[in-house]
Amino acid sequence: MRGRQLRRAAICLLAVVAVVPVTACAGGPEAVEGPAAAQDDGQRTDPDVERRAAEKAALDAYSGYLAASRAASGRSDPHAPELSRFLADPLLTRVRLSIRDAKEHGAVRTGTLKSDPTVAAASLDANPATVEIQDCLDMTDYRLVYAKNKRVVPGSGGGRHLSTATATRYPDGRWLINAGALHRDQPC
């Protein structure tokens, strides 16, 4: 009986550790607080107006993320300051690691990335508020190439694939993209 209780306690402890966010020691523009709880200052706005504003801010953050990521990938600069203007962890770290990995292998991204995102869902009453975004990214002309000879890196092909992202409202009011995935198994 005691062994079963210890296993349950260990499982519960692991679940709590997995849910509690880890905060890195950082300062400056890369430091981002966790997502904001809904703030109630006693004033209410029209829910439709609030929803439209949130959706626009989330789509602006998503477009900024794509532009910042393209620019940083084209320069092989994983610490480009524009990344932290539009991204938050864990996606910020994933993007930086991807750019660093390409740089270590002598590769950069070139070409044009086409995007036409839409809002899939908005959860403004959630704590924190989030907006889910779907996109059909056209990477036909967006390639990973070796910097020295501009040859395409094998296996880095383009195409059109479903992409999803989550924008979250942070305490300072900014909407940042903190989760995202390219679904290579789902062409669009």
Side-chain angles (χ1 to χ4, degrees), residues 2 10 19 46 50 58 75 94 107 146 154 156 162 164 170 183:
R2 177 107 172 105
V19 172
D46 181 351
E50 183 181 0
R75 295 189 313 268
R94 282 186 26 223
Y146 292 109
S156 66
L162 175 68
T164 55
Y170 281 74
H183 305 277

Side-chain angles (χ1 to χ4, degrees), residues 1 3 6 12 15 34-35 64 69 73 94 96 101-102 105 115-116 118 126 142 161 163 165 171 180-181 185:
M1 183 75 163
L6 285 175
C12 289
S69 179
S73 294
R94 282 186 26 223
R96 285 182 169 161
D101 187 48
H105 289 91
S115 169
D116 187 22
T118 59
Y142 190 60
H161 302 281
S163 174
D185 61 335

